[in-house]
Amino acid sequence: MREVNVSEITDVVEKLCIDSNYYLPEDVKKALEDALEGEESPLGKEILQDILKNQEIARTKNVPICQDTGLAVLFLELGQEVRLIGGELNDAINEGVRRGYEKGYLRKSTVDDPFMERKNLGDNTPAIIHTKIVPGDKVKMILAPKGGGSENMSALAMLKPSDGVEGIRKFVLDTVEKAGSNPCPPIIIGVGIGGTIEKTTLIAKQSLLRNIGEHNPNPKIAELEKDLLEQVNNLGIGPQGFGGRTTALAVHIETFPAHIASMPVAINIQCHAARHLEATI
């Protein structure tokens, strides 16, 4: 049994909050550069150049990539051979978020009551924490700030099994077309299929953590990812909605076994500022 003081978790979460908002992952940067080379629209090219310039300014000046620094979403893998000491885990995580958003001059976007008073809590807590118990004696954390513009364009459908692949395809394309410029394209599209209503939305969001260019290990699903990406980019929405070939950088699909009577499908859209960062204690 390995002991880990929760103060270490606080320190790591603080750093993850800041760094994930300042530094665009290399796979996303590379995908934007590749999109710039393939973009046919002159305006689309100009916008992609601006996006790349913006992330470079953020990286070199240590400022947020986007003014919407999101809600703090944390994926936590806790080794079953770890014994946490020094305090309560969720409190430690929220303290890290509080410090990170304060020290990093990151916008606080959490309101207490979601449909009445909507008073800003002032420190961007509580974090949204997804905890998984895994073998081993490590603590792995992935911090993925999620902005409102892209999250608002996400969707859920309880399709019938008979709807099949074509039903999934139609739902994805209709959702992206309806979203238009709202999620700040180019976007990354996470698709969850199967499970229950809460499981499918979770795996859709988790799929966004996959590196761009890393396809589902199932060859048939990987082919559907490629096919959907091409069809999405044929919609012509383009960078920031001004037209062009680059509406999305990737489509990531994750699946989970489902009930014989159900085929839930969730779409979680992420903007081009696809911020996430991981660390292990």
Side-chain angles (χ1 to χ4, degrees):
M1 184 68 69
R2 174 172 174 250
E3 290 189 347
V4 173
N5 194 299
V6 295
S7 64
E8 294 183 59
I9 293 174
T10 296
D11 291 342
V12 170
V13 170
E14 176 187 324
K15 182 171 172 55
L16 287 176
C17 286
I18 296 171
D19 289 356
S20 63
N21 274 294
Y22 285 4
Y23 311 124
L24 194 69
E26 283 299 318
D27 63 303
V28 182
K29 180 183 175 184
K30 176 66 164 53
L32 288 166
E33 291 170 342
D34 291 344
L36 176 60
E37 290 185 13
E39 180 54 64
E40 298 169 358
S41 163
L43 181 55
K45 279 184 174 292
E46 184 178 337
I47 291 168
L48 288 170
Q49 287 170 341
D50 287 343
I51 290 172
L52 285 164
K53 182 179 179 181
N54 176 74
Q55 68 82 31
E56 183 64 16
I57 292 170
R59 185 183 67 82
T60 57
K61 301 292 187 182
N62 291 324
V63 294
I65 299 167
C66 177
Q67 52 82 25
D68 186 350
T69 53
L71 295 185
V73 180
L74 185 79
F75 293 90
L76 174 72
E77 292 186 4
L78 181 63
Q80 62 187 17
E81 296 175 34
V82 172
R83 178 172 178 263
L84 298 174
I85 61 172
E88 200 275 325
L89 175 61
N90 288 345
D91 288 347
I93 291 170
N94 283 317
E95 180 60 23
V97 171
R98 187 176 295 111
R99 292 182 193 174
Y101 273 75
E102 185 66 28
K103 292 182 181 179
Y105 298 98
L106 307 176
R107 194 183 81 183
K108 289 81 172 176
S109 300
T110 308
V111 295
D112 59 351
D113 188 319
F115 71 100
M116 294 180 70
E117 188 176 355
R118 293 186 64 86
K119 180 182 177 182
N120 196 303
L121 288 166
D123 61 5
N124 224 56
T125 67
I128 297 162
I129 306 167
H130 302 289
T131 305
K132 183 179 180 181
I133 306 299
V134 298
D137 63 355
K138 308 293 184 186
V139 180
K140 179 180 176 181
M141 291 165 280
I142 303 176
L143 197 286
K146 192 65 194 293
S150 59
E151 189 77 353
N152 288 348
M153 295 298 105
S154 300
L156 169 73
M158 301 303 291
L159 299 183
K160 300 185 296 293
S162 60
D163 291 326
V165 173
E166 290 310 308
I168 295 168
R169 189 190 309 276
K170 183 178 186 303
F171 178 50
V172 172
L173 294 174
D174 287 351
T175 299
V176 174
E177 189 165 31
K178 181 180 178 181
S181 64
N182 289 305
C184 295
I187 57 178
I188 301 168
I189 304 166
V191 183
I193 306 169
T196 53
I197 191 169
E198 79 279 8
K199 182 66 175 180
T200 196
T201 54
L202 178 59
I203 62 175
K205 179 157 287 180
Q206 285 177 311
S207 76
L208 297 171
L209 305 178
R210 194 195 306 166
N211 285 338
I212 293 177
E214 179 186 337
H215 290 287
N216 189 292
N218 183 315
K220 291 183 179 179
I221 298 176
E223 194 59 36
L224 179 59
E225 290 175 334
K226 296 172 187 176
D227 187 35
L228 280 171
L229 178 61
E230 181 178 357
Q231 290 185 294
V232 164
N233 284 331
N234 284 339
L235 292 173
I237 296 168
Q240 297 287 46
F242 286 106
R245 296 284 303 165
T246 315
T247 299
L249 300 175
V251 175
H252 294 166
I253 299 174
E254 292 292 335
T255 65
F256 195 85
H259 190 281
I260 55 173
S262 301
M263 192 173 72
V265 181
I267 298 171
N268 200 274
I269 292 177
Q270 176 62 286
C271 67
H272 59 267
R275 301 156 293 183
H276 62 270
L277 195 62
E278 70 176 69
T280 301
I281 298 175

